[in-house]
Amino acid sequence: ILWRIFQTIINQIWVLNNMARNENKDVHTMIGADAVIQGNISCNDGIAVYGKVFGDVTSEGPVRIARGGEVHGNVQASESNIGGTVAGNVRVEKRAVLGSESNLKGDLIYRTLVIEEGAQFQGHCVLAGREESIDSINETQESDQDTQPDQYD
C-alpha cells in the first residue's frame, strides 16, 4: 500500500512539473512580481510579466501577463495569455486568451480568441486581417462626438 501511495505522489509531481514546463516552454524572459519597468520591452522569444510594465511589450514569441501582472501600453506578440491587466491595444498573430481574472482596456486583434468567464474587456475585437474596421469604428465614434450638441449650452 505504501508503494502505491509513493508511486501516486511521484506520478502527480511528474505531471505538475510537465504542465509547468509546457506552459512556459517558449518563455525566456520573466518580469518578476516586484519589478516595475518604465519603458518599452522587445524580445525575440516569449515573455512572462508578473510585475508592472509602463510601456509597450513586443515579442516574436508568446506574451503572458500573469494574475497581478500589469502592462500599461500596447502588446504585440505571436500569441497572448492575459491573466492580469492590460491598458492598451493587443495584437496577436495567433491565439489570444483572456483569463478569468483578466482586465483588458483596449482593442484586440487576434486570429483565435478565448474568453474565460469573469474576464473584463472594454474595447473592440477584430479578426486579424480586418484591422481597417477598427479605424472606421474609431472614425465614426470621433465624428459622432463632434456632432453631438453640448448639453450645457
Side-chain angles (χ1 to χ4, degrees), residues 47-119:
I47 181 170
V49 177
Y50 294 87
K52 295 180 182 176
V53 176
F54 293 90
D56 296 342
V57 177
T58 305
S59 172
E60 293 179 23
V63 170
R64 306 202 191 304
I65 314 298
R67 289 183 184 143
E70 298 178 18
V71 173
H72 300 271
N74 298 323
V75 174
Q76 183 167 341
S78 63
E79 60 184 43
S80 67
N81 191 326
I82 300 172
T85 300
V86 176
N89 299 325
V90 176
R91 178 188 185 97
V92 294
E93 297 169 17
K94 300 175 188 170
R95 181 177 176 180
V97 176
L98 300 179
S100 62
E101 296 182 32
S102 66
N103 186 347
L104 171 58
K105 290 183 181 175
D107 295 336
L108 176 61
I109 299 171
Y110 62 93
R111 179 75 54 201
T112 302
L113 177 60
V114 176
I115 301 177
E116 295 179 3
E117 185 176 350

Side-chain angles (χ1 to χ4, degrees), residues 3-16:
W3 179 249
R4 282 188 180 170
I5 293 172
F6 177 74
Q7 285 179 322
T8 302
I9 291 171
I10 295 298
N11 189 30
Q12 288 176 346
I13 291 172
W14 182 83
V15 167
L16 290 173

